[in-house]
Amino acid sequence: MEHSVRLGTQKYHDNICECLRELGKREQLPVEIIERKQGRRWLIQCKFLNTSLEETDNEEMVQKIQQYYLANALAETILLYWEKEQVQGIIKKNNLVEAKDREILSKALEYLNKGLGQDRGYRVNRKTKLVTQILSCLNQSPIFDLEGFLSFRAQEYKRDVTKAVEFAIEEYIIEKEYLEFIQLLKHFVDTQTPQLEKLHVGMNSKGEFHLFNNEGEDITLDYLEDYQLDNLNDLGYEDLLVSALIAVAPRQITLHIRNNRYRDTLQTIRSVFGERVRDCSGCSICEDF
């Protein structure tokens, strides 16, 4: 029994053959690869042989299995080789500087391989979509052109790739703006005259914070006179805390905060105040929080 499929490609001849040979070794598939160049295009004929089965009702099932393995190899070729070029092309259209290109490329490929947000099966799902679409083409015709497929049949997959790049660009811009903001705050703090040598900060489970001097006295209200507390819902306790610390600009800040909910706020405080920040290992203030 013999089943043959012809593949056409201009740019991915070596990559397709590599994936096919790797597939043949891994799955022990009796596949013969015949390569022929026509002008700028390569024709790759894949002959699947199976001498272990006689011409029976199993022939159709075996052919479907072989097509699945072939679709799997083609999908892997797209994910490994075409995808990176596509991501680079989208980034260039955004007129970003070369140094930033590399960072955004790395972020975009990470999102594609590891998933956006909590979708850890993102790459597997994308590959499954590709395999399904390729199988649909192979069921219609024993001739498959890779570039033609990518241009006209893989629109959903290409939307996923574009979405990942846009997400990476957005994250990069947000991160850049955040770092610039942190540098501005850091410069402001460094030029301020400290109002206290040492300040202690505690925060409860509701996000409400308290400031204490080195004698353990609650001095929170002393530094909130300039803020409209009735607008607290708009500002938020965590933003208010950062603002209060910047206003006081103490030489040393001791954090009595252990709730992991506030890690972003703590990171901002550490970024702005640097070596001025220390974490308490346990004291009477910690017991209240």
Side-chain angles (χ1 to χ4, degrees):
M1 181 178 64
E2 178 182 308
H3 170 228
S4 180
V5 175
R6 284 184 293 168
L7 308 175
T9 181
Q10 285 190 22
K11 296 177 60 178
Y12 301 98
H13 159 259
D14 293 342
N15 307 134
I16 291 175
C17 290
E18 180 184 342
C19 286
L20 285 172
R21 291 190 177 99
E22 177 61 30
L23 174 70
K25 290 178 184 177
R26 187 172 67 244
E27 304 296 338
Q28 296 183 341
L29 288 176
V31 57
E32 180 184 357
I33 300 172
I34 303 171
E35 308 161 49
R36 184 160 50 95
K37 192 170 186 181
Q38 286 188 340
R40 298 174 58 186
R41 294 181 74 251
W42 280 89
L43 293 179
I44 306 168
Q45 186 172 9
C46 303
K47 286 186 176 181
F48 292 95
L49 306 172
N50 196 323
T51 55
S52 62
L53 291 174
E54 297 180 357
E55 303 268 347
T56 65
D57 292 339
N58 288 325
E59 181 177 348
E60 184 178 351
M61 179 192 70
V62 172
Q63 182 171 320
K64 286 184 177 180
I65 293 172
Q66 291 169 345
Q67 284 183 339
Y68 169 77
Y69 281 125
L70 177 58
N72 206 352
L74 290 168
E76 196 66 21
T77 300
I78 293 170
L79 291 173
L80 288 175
Y81 303 104
W82 177 88
E83 189 166 89
K84 184 175 181 180
E85 293 179 5
Q86 181 75 356
V87 170
Q88 288 172 322
I90 298 172
I91 292 173
K92 284 181 180 178
K93 287 181 182 178
N94 284 271
N95 298 318
L96 298 167
V97 214
E98 186 177 349
K100 298 175 184 176
D101 285 357
R102 289 193 291 270
E103 188 173 343
I104 296 172
L105 174 63
S106 176
K107 277 183 178 290
L109 293 176
E110 181 181 356
Y111 293 144
L112 286 166
N113 290 321
K114 295 184 179 179
L116 294 168
Q118 299 301 313
D119 190 359
R120 297 187 182 277
Y122 189 58
R123 186 183 192 275
V124 175
N125 292 336
R126 281 172 28 254
K127 185 176 180 180
T128 301
K129 288 179 186 177
L130 280 173
V131 169
T132 302
Q133 289 177 307
I134 293 170
L135 278 174
S136 176
C137 294
L138 293 176
N139 286 332
Q140 295 172 22
S141 171
I143 301 173
F144 181 88
D145 184 84
L146 184 62
E147 283 83 1
F149 170 78
L150 289 168
S151 296
F152 303 109
R153 300 292 293 269
Q155 302 306 320
E156 185 179 355
Y157 162 68
K158 289 197 290 186
R159 280 194 294 270
D160 286 345
V161 174
T162 301
K163 178 183 175 184
V165 178
E166 290 173 348
F167 192 85
I169 292 173
E170 183 180 348
E171 287 286 296
Y172 175 83
I173 292 172
I174 291 172
E175 185 177 337
K176 181 187 173 187
E177 291 175 348
Y178 171 77
L179 291 176
E180 289 174 351
F181 179 63
I182 291 296
Q183 288 302 313
L184 181 65
L185 295 180
K186 186 175 176 59
H187 176 73
F188 181 76
V189 166
D190 290 342
T191 57
Q192 285 284 91
T193 301
Q195 296 188 32
L196 280 178
E197 286 295 313
K198 296 182 179 181
L199 183 68
H200 297 260
V201 182
M203 184 177 282
N204 63 24
S205 59
K206 295 180 180 179
E208 301 168 343
F209 68 87
H210 289 267
L211 307 179
F212 302 88
N213 61 21
N214 209 38
E215 286 70 45
E217 299 171 331
D218 192 325
I219 57 173
T220 310
L221 295 180
D222 297 347
Y223 295 98
L224 296 182
E225 295 177 352
D226 295 334
Y227 298 98
Q228 298 293 325
L229 295 185
D230 52 348
N231 294 327
L232 187 57
N233 289 334
D234 297 329
L235 186 59
Y237 276 112
E238 295 175 60
D239 291 336
L240 185 60
L241 170 59
V242 175
S243 299
L245 292 178
I246 291 172
V248 180
R251 294 192 189 277
Q252 180 180 297
I253 299 172
T254 301
L255 299 175
H256 305 264
I257 304 172
R258 288 175 170 74
N259 196 317
N260 198 42
R261 277 179 55 195
Y262 310 117
R263 59 182 179 273
D264 291 341
T265 301
L266 296 179
Q267 180 58 44
T268 299
I269 294 172
R270 292 189 175 99
S271 298
V272 172
F273 291 92
E275 295 180 355
R276 300 189 192 195
V277 181
R278 62 182 291 269
D279 292 289
C280 182
S281 57
C283 69
S284 56
I285 295 179
C286 292
E287 292 175 2
D288 295 331
F289 296 95

